[in-house]
Amino acid sequence: MLDITTTLEQNNGADRLSIPFIAHVECNQLVNRGPHFQIPVRASYTGMKKTYSVEVSGFRLTTEHVNNVPTLIERLMEGVTRLGRIPHYVFIARDAGVVYPVYTIDDEVLAPTPYGPLFQHIELAVVRKRLGDYLHDIKVLGAKGRTDKFHVRGVDRHTLQLVRPIFYLKKRDVTKEDDFWAPVFRSKEGGHIYAYAASDRREAVIDSGKEVLVLHNLVANVLKDDGRLTNKFDLRPDRLFAEMWEQLKATLIDNGDELTVSGVSIPIYTAADGVTIGLEARLDEERYSLFLGGDIDGVREQAAADFARRGIGV
Amino acid sequence: MKMLKAKRLIPLFAALVLLMGVVSTASAQEYGTFSVDEIAFAIDNFVMFICAVLVLFMQAGFALVESGFNSGKNTINILFKNLMDLSIGATLYYLIGYGLMYPGFAEGSAGILGFGQVGIPDGTLASAVEGGYLPLPQVDFLFQVAFAATAATIVSGAVAGRMQFRAYMIYTAVLTGLIYPIAGSWKWGGGWLDALGFYDFAGSLIVHALGGFAGLAGAIFLGARIGRFNKDGSANPMPGHNITSATLGVFILLIGWFGFNPGSVLAMTGEGATIAVVITAVNTLLAACTGAFAAMICSLFIIGKPDISFALNGMLAGLVGITANADSVSNSSALIIGLVAGVIVVGAMVLLEKLRIDDPVGAWPVHGACGIWGGIATALFSDVATLGAQLTGSVVYAAWGFGTMAIVFAAMKAAGILRVSEEEELEGLDLSEHGAINYPEFVSGD
């Protein structure tokens, strides 16, 4: 049993209609988070009926009486805490309506399943793939390739709300044991972006878009130190939000060059440190992926290898 | 409070002292109607009876180990299987097995379905003693039936979480009624392996390897539990739901093994028997301890941390390894036998993973692989048997256990009664097979 103290405070902010209360939660028994949390208590209306809901790491409970909120929070906290830890991430399958908490212990990422296998690996991507395969096999996610995909979300360390990755750092493909795939999040305070790599949280100060390449460089170096990366350009920033890309783009030099690889046009940019960057616009998702290289040929190689893996232009 | 308890114990001590006085007096002269032989007879049978009870108590150990190492959704099913393999096993062993295993043990026995097989022989106690009925067949039956149940229950761990309950009942009946007694008769019933010079003191091969290889057949024919292996061939841990239970189970098995091995001397009185019993007991403990230690060290190398499930299986491995030779090896040899068993069990667990065979509790690594090691170690560390005889026995018991039960499991698979459906497996066998939940407070509605 966790020792949790919850007090409710009226929210006087601009969002007070949708979030009438902030629950201040104290819990000293968590090894990876806390001890203070501020969990928003949301209100919703169905006709004349008002209900309050609280969410912890993607799991939500509702009540008609605000006095019950502390009990709901305790139940949720108890429910998601494993080995004294709050999840670092959750995997979500929207259509199936399932949420799987993901924990990190030392170097390893762990996704337990109720009464089933424990998926455990150093890489989040491998855990995601194996858990996804398992859930497809037992038909929780339906037939593979046709239904749900797992989406990863971070868990904010202060509010315990889900946060969407602003982009990913990837070294593909995930069938290889030494591949890497880490979602990148913006910190709640807004001053940093961060990802977990090589057993630690890696941060870069937000600096008009330059932070994407700073964090990439930081993570690439720790992976190289770990012996899990030889060429830092094998790690690529993937699926940047449009806003993120626009900010980064403003810091790059546009030479007007463009590559065509497997029928896909790739505009070329140069970063201040001389790194050559190729842009793959994934317009269907409104996301932007980058190929990095020491020169334009390096970018071409990276793009060709990735397109071949994805079956583009084959 | 402690003083009060001590005072209550005084009459008990007084009674014990009086009893010891009676026995010592009887050793010098006939006391009342009891002769020295009669007292020795009683002591031997009493010790055998206690050892039989200890071995029967191992059923509790197996139940706890197997349920603890498995998911909480299958707890009732596993406990139930352990209950029924004893119930069915003991009945069939009484009706059929004992007669098959010890043909002609009692004068005038009727072979299969010879109920008189386990009756107290006709005649006076003196004739029983003179006739060499030590221990009494009734006591011996209790002891031997516990061995038969052990052979059956070993399989339970290997097939946990996905075998139909009725399939389990069928294989238990076949194993305890036919497969095990026939195998036992080849050595302990004075059969062809005995004539070959094969030695298996308390059943490393006859009981454990037989059960372990039968379990391996079950695991292969059943296939892995859902989610045990990934598409890339790697394995996922399927964490046990209660390591406390598993640990208590191993301690119970350790205690039970002091019935299994020392009891196999089949006597307590007389210098030779007394010495054999205590040597056997010490060897049993030493091998158990080095087995656990070796497996713990192996876990350090493999996963970087001392793992209790490795160590628990290591202790059982050491016990299985020493069972064939506990009476005939030195204490220092017992240390080595246990040590090697602790390494073998880990190697065998890794091998099963590589082969994508799902044995939830490590029944084959513990009982199969280390049972073979026990048989071979007998030739390596003692002079009671040749290596050739031991290798022959190892191959025979492994092949007999695997081959016969493979036929049984294959037949049940063909009949569609071997494995539960995917839905039932995911739901848990407690609910699907028994309509019950062991931990209802843990079940949530969302």
Side-chain angles (χ1 to χ4, degrees), chain A residues 106 115-120 130 133-134 137-139 177, chain B residues 71 73 226-227 230-232 234 236-238 305 422 426:
Chain A
D106 298 330
Y115 295 116
L118 170 69
F119 295 90
Q120 183 177 2
R130 289 176 178 172
D133 286 345
Y134 169 70
D137 283 347
I138 64 171
K139 301 177 182 60
E177 291 284 301
Chain B
S71 168
K73 66 184 177 181
I226 298 167
N230 297 304
K231 288 186 167 46
D232 59 13
S234 57
N236 299 309
M238 307 275 278
K305 288 183 178 173
E422 187 177 301
L426 293 170

Side-chain angles (χ1 to χ4, degrees), chain B residues 241-265:
Chain B
H241 85 286
N242 193 335
I243 295 300
T244 310
S245 157
T247 306
L248 177 62
V250 168
F251 278 117
I252 288 174
L253 287 170
L254 172 67
I255 299 301
W257 234 283
F258 287 106
F260 211 100
N261 286 358
S264 291
V265 176

